[in-house]
Amino acid sequence: MGNGATLAERIAERRAGTGDPRALVGELRRAPLLVPLGGDGLWTARFRGVRWICAFTDDRALARFLDRHGSGDREWEYAVLLGARLLDEIIPAMAEPAGVAVDVADEDGAMLFPPVVGIVPEAAAVDAEAREGGH
């Protein structure tokens, strides 16, 4: 199993223009992520037609997010989920385009993993039909 620190390192590499995108997705799959719980399940946000699961590499990244949203003064419940579970089980069950937004409160460390082939299963990917069409 990976860890959140290694995922954060891979994100930093990609943001710097280095590193292997496949290794980054692999690290996301292995990483245990902290996902805050809202009233009806996992904390998500909608942006440009995609529902994003907000996930964090460690408790400090989660605390920064909660502070930015004015929620840092109350106690929050969260789940610890492997990235693979988010990608392979939870996102396909959402029945709408969904991806994972990692460490979104960290301007220089955030990374979005959109619902595309190679990240989520084809059945949940928004670009699966275009790829099936030959390109």
Side-chain angles (χ1 to χ4, degrees):
M1 179 180 351
N3 65 56
T6 304
L7 176 58
E9 290 169 9
R10 296 291 164 270
I11 289 172
E13 289 172 359
R14 287 304 302 148
R15 291 182 60 98
T18 63
D20 179 358
R22 291 176 304 224
L24 174 61
V25 173
E27 199 56 51
L28 171 67
R29 297 183 64 73
R30 290 184 292 277
L33 297 166
L34 308 181
V35 182
L37 301 175
D40 60 346
L42 303 178
W43 183 303
T44 63
R46 292 185 195 285
F47 181 68
R48 295 192 178 180
V50 175
R51 187 170 171 191
W52 297 96
I53 298 171
C54 298
F56 302 90
T57 55
D58 60 31
D59 56 348
R60 292 177 312 276
L62 174 58
R64 286 189 295 275
F65 173 76
L66 295 174
D67 285 343
R68 282 204 168 161
H69 288 283
S71 305
D73 57 343
R74 72 172 218 170
E75 190 151 328
W76 279 86
E77 290 186 41
Y78 62 88
V80 179
L81 301 168
L82 284 179
R85 184 159 184 221
L86 291 173
L87 298 174
D88 297 341
E89 297 174 27
I90 294 171
I91 286 175
M94 294 175 112
E96 66 180 297
V100 180
V102 176
D103 291 348
V104 292
D106 299 338
E107 232 175 83
D108 296 330
M111 180 69 64
L112 299 178
F113 294 87
V116 296
V117 172
I119 296 178
V120 300
E122 274 194 44
V126 296
D127 64 339
E129 286 183 22
R131 286 180 170 265
E132 287 174 8
H135 317 298

